[in-house]
Amino acid sequence: MTQRVLVRDTLKLVNQIVRLSGWVHARRDHGKLVFIDLRDRSGIVQIVGGDVLKDLRIEDVVDVSGLVKDRPANLQNPKIETGKVEVEARKVTVLSHSKELPFPIDTDGYEIDEEIRSKYRYLDIRRPRMAKNLRLRSKVVAYIRNFLLDRDFVEVETPILTKTTPEGARDFIVPSRLKKGKFYALPQSPQQYKQLLMVAGLERYFQIARCFRDEDPRKDRAYGEFTQLDLEMSFVTQNDILTLTEELFTRLVKDLFPDKHMTQTPWPRFSHNQVRQKYGTDKPDLRKDKNDVQELAFSWTIDFPLFAEQSKEDFYYGSGQAKFAPSHHMFTAPHPDDIPLLDKDPLKVRGLQHDLVLNGFEVGGGSIRIHQREVQDKVFDLIGFTKEQKKQFEHMLTAFTYGVPPHGGIAPGVDRILMAILGEPSVREVMAFPTSASGQTSVMDAPSVVEPQQLKELHLKVVESNKKEK
Ligand code: ASP
């Protein structure tokens, strides 16, 4: 059999017999002549033929051998890349038939119910907009990786089965079979591991990290899991972190999204106070023209207060008795000038936190970290940690006794940044298999019940909610 060629290569193969493989994207029956649009990963090409094409249905997978021909000028189709040619079918083999699809895939798809798109996500991804978003996402991640590797960063994978790493959300917990009554937590971020890697002397770490947070979905946040570019550096100032991040995304936008333009460079930096006074929010949308889909307004917000008053929702911190909750997370360093205020007036202490804002969305956050055991201990006290809770983080306090470099980092959200750059209405539009707003996974029916035997092995019992718990 002749070698398969891609649809886009037909342009270079005029007057040659080629073999193409792909899906029947569209079909037009003109009686004696049938036209189909054949789609593969590289695009679409028109196939023309008679009886050989008669029985084909939309989305059948076929193998077509035929002669590539120039189209006369008046029949060219400028809307597709291969519009100057067509393929005269000689032999067609159906590799598999398709049923009628549950929804059209030749539109952008926003009009279709999201639950149905999600149930048949493998069809939804055939939609050119979705396929394009996933390809761009892959390019963005590769770009980030190359940029950081060139600058002496080390990519490290950290565990998914781990202990609680609070980032202000509820944990997902996983029961242990081997240790009865004990649980792992899925990481809300690799925060503690990346700090431990600084103690370990790597100095420059990054990871395209999956994070798990059991929080209510919003359009700029997926339910359950999301991906962030997690990075950490030793012996740096806050300015070093901001500068590196700014250079990375400025270059990335220029190279991968040349049609986009930035409202302002260098990106403006505001103190938390300033930005609240001026815009009434800590994530201002600074675009000059909010209807301009090509405009990207990045900015920084810094000088946050280290603590906020603790509210009832801060149940995951401390004993619930303390007055203070970290505004970022409990590893953020206080501004060195404000350390004396930790005892006197904690709410006045500034934290070395930085938030990255794009078109009104918070797309990343980070900080310089505490690297002194005593200061970390004091912050644990202020957020009301009990002795027991402190014990959960003893490994950090212990690590900090063995020579720890000053360090800090940031974690820009990959889904969120891509959503904002592409002007998509939700992060789910840039994720392959997102969990729906109601917590249902794409395609696969999770969460689902498990076999009684599995529960038994895990030493778990499900208590019916209408029965009284003992
Ligand atoms: N761990 C933080 C987060 O997920 C980011 C950081 O402080 O680097 O938001």
Side-chain angles (χ1 to χ4, degrees):
M1 227 198 291
T2 45
Q3 182 84 27
R4 174 200 180 200
V5 300
L6 288 176
V7 151
R8 67 163 170 250
D9 294 333
T10 50
L11 279 175
K12 296 177 289 191
L13 297 167
V14 176
N15 295 329
Q16 296 190 37
I17 297 278
V18 297
R19 184 167 75 84
L20 303 166
S21 308
W23 285 258
V24 176
H25 187 69
R27 174 176 197 290
R28 294 173 292 281
D29 200 329
H30 290 206
K32 268 202 166 150
L33 271 191
V34 178
F35 294 91
I36 67 166
D37 289 340
L38 185 78
R39 182 187 77 239
D40 69 10
R41 68 175 197 271
S42 72
I44 283 173
V45 71
Q46 176 166 286
I47 315 279
V48 55
D51 283 347
V52 279
L53 301 179
K54 268 264 176 295
D55 295 331
L56 298 186
R57 292 179 303 212
I58 300 285
E59 295 303 306
D60 282 350
V61 177
V62 292
D63 213 280
V64 178
S65 296
L67 179 67
V68 184
K69 287 179 116 179
D70 273 327
R71 295 205 220 176
N74 59 335
L75 293 180
Q76 293 185 357
N77 178 359
K79 287 199 194 121
I80 56 174
E81 211 187 316
T82 62
K84 287 193 166 144
V85 298
E86 63 184 2
V87 179
E88 216 176 74
R90 296 279 159 88
K91 185 168 172 244
V92 176
T93 313
V94 177
L95 302 176
S96 86
H97 276 299
S98 170
K99 284 207 306 199
E100 195 181 332
L101 301 193
F103 45 68
I105 58 165
D106 55 355
T107 66
D108 275 343
Y110 298 116
E111 73 287 1
I112 304 164
D113 180 67
E114 231 193 308
E115 298 269 339
I116 297 179
R117 287 179 56 203
S118 162
K119 178 170 178 201
Y120 297 99
R121 193 61 158 187
Y122 46 90
L123 300 178
D124 196 50
I125 294 172
R126 290 188 191 169
R127 182 183 309 292
R129 176 180 66 89
M130 286 304 295
K132 185 169 150 235
N133 284 0
L134 293 187
R135 285 178 198 286
L136 275 170
R137 184 183 176 121
S138 161
K139 283 199 176 132
V140 163
V141 169
Y143 194 98
I144 290 173
R145 213 170 238 134
N146 291 336
F147 179 95
L148 293 172
L149 291 173
D150 276 353
R151 282 160 186 76
D152 222 12
F153 279 79
V154 189
E155 183 170 8
V156 182
E157 290 172 76
T158 53
I160 296 297
L161 288 180
T162 179
K163 203 170 173 176
T164 185
T165 293
E167 293 281 357
R170 241 178 241 106
D171 282 325
F172 282 99
I173 56 173
V174 180
S176 158
R177 180 178 59 83
L178 297 178
K179 300 243 160 76
K180 184 172 174 177
K182 296 205 165 157
F183 296 84
Y184 301 96
L186 305 184
Q188 292 185 33
S189 88
Q191 184 63 35
Q192 294 178 67
Y193 287 113
K194 69 174 171 176
Q195 292 194 241
L196 294 172
L197 289 171
M198 296 302 104
V199 181
L202 288 190
E203 290 195 30
R204 292 183 152 216
Y205 142 95
F206 81 98
Q207 176 176 198
I208 305 297
R210 198 65 71 85
C211 303
F212 303 87
R213 298 183 192 177
D214 186 358
E215 60 187 353
D216 295 330
R218 292 184 251 154
K219 70 177 172 178
D220 63 334
R221 285 178 199 206
Y223 172 74
E225 51 187 292
F226 61 91
T227 305
Q228 64 186 20
L229 158 62
D230 194 46
L231 68 87
E232 196 75 5
M233 294 186 272
S234 293
F235 308 111
V236 288
T237 60
Q238 185 173 54
N239 185 49
D240 294 326
I241 299 167
L242 304 197
T243 309
L244 177 102
T245 310
E246 191 160 330
E247 191 194 341
L248 164 59
F249 285 103
T250 304
R251 285 185 184 223
L252 183 151
V253 167
K254 194 163 154 266
D255 290 347
L256 298 185
F257 302 92
D259 296 338
K260 305 273 166 184
H261 61 91
M262 286 192 192
T263 314
Q264 207 179 323
T265 50
W267 304 346
R269 294 181 188 181
F270 302 102
S271 76
H272 184 252
N273 258 342
Q274 246 179 350
V275 80
R276 288 217 140 252
Q277 272 169 19
K278 209 164 161 194
Y279 303 101
T281 165
D282 48 22
K283 27 184 189 293
D285 186 347
L286 299 176
R287 281 177 294 177
K288 293 216 174 87
D289 176 358
K290 304 214 174 27
N291 297 316
D292 173 4
V293 288
Q294 305 295 14
E295 186 173 354
L296 300 177
F298 283 96
S299 64
W300 291 107
T301 305
I302 52 174
D303 283 342
F304 285 77
L306 188 64
F307 298 111
E309 299 242 24
Q310 192 160 116
S311 71
K312 277 218 181 77
E313 283 84 65
D314 296 318
F315 63 89
Y316 24 76
Y317 291 125
S319 55
Q321 315 291 324
K323 278 175 67 184
F324 312 108
S327 17
H328 183 218
H329 55 57
M330 57 184 82
F331 307 107
T332 294
H335 194 293
D337 297 347
D338 297 350
I339 289 191
L341 288 174
L342 279 174
D343 285 321
K344 287 190 226 131
D345 195 352
L347 287 174
K348 287 243 164 68
V349 177
R350 287 164 297 167
L352 293 179
Q353 174 188 349
H354 34 261
D355 270 9
L356 175 59
V357 178
L358 169 56
N359 293 0
F361 293 105
E362 182 207 319
V363 292
S367 60
I368 294 290
R369 323 298 181 185
I370 298 167
H371 70 280
Q372 309 92 328
R373 189 189 157 104
E374 326 72 71
V375 180
Q376 188 67 70
D377 206 38
K378 171 147 264 140
V379 168
F380 285 166
D381 285 339
L382 284 165
I383 61 180
F385 265 8
T386 58
K387 268 210 179 105
E388 273 307 301
Q389 285 173 313
K390 263 196 206 178
K391 257 206 198 137
Q392 294 236 17
F393 296 92
E394 187 57 38
H395 52 277
M396 293 297 279
L397 298 178
T398 305
F400 284 7
T401 59
Y402 290 107
V404 47
H407 59 283
I410 188 166
V414 172
D415 323 281
R416 273 198 259 174
I417 290 197
L418 208 61
M419 172 195 80
I421 293 182
L422 294 174
E424 287 287 9
S426 129
V427 281
R428 292 188 290 277
E429 302 296 342
V430 298
M431 299 169 101
F433 296 104
T435 301
S436 76
S438 63
Q440 187 81 26
T441 57
S442 294
V443 187
M444 300 191 201
D445 207 13
S448 58
V449 289
V450 298
E451 294 297 322
Q453 180 58 25
Q454 283 174 295
L455 286 177
K456 203 170 158 210
E457 273 184 351
L458 294 168
H459 326 286
L460 290 181
K461 226 185 215 147
V462 175
V463 180
E464 298 294 335
S465 54
N466 55 0
K467 280 189 199 156
K468 257 203 172 163
E469 283 176 48
K470 275 193 206 156

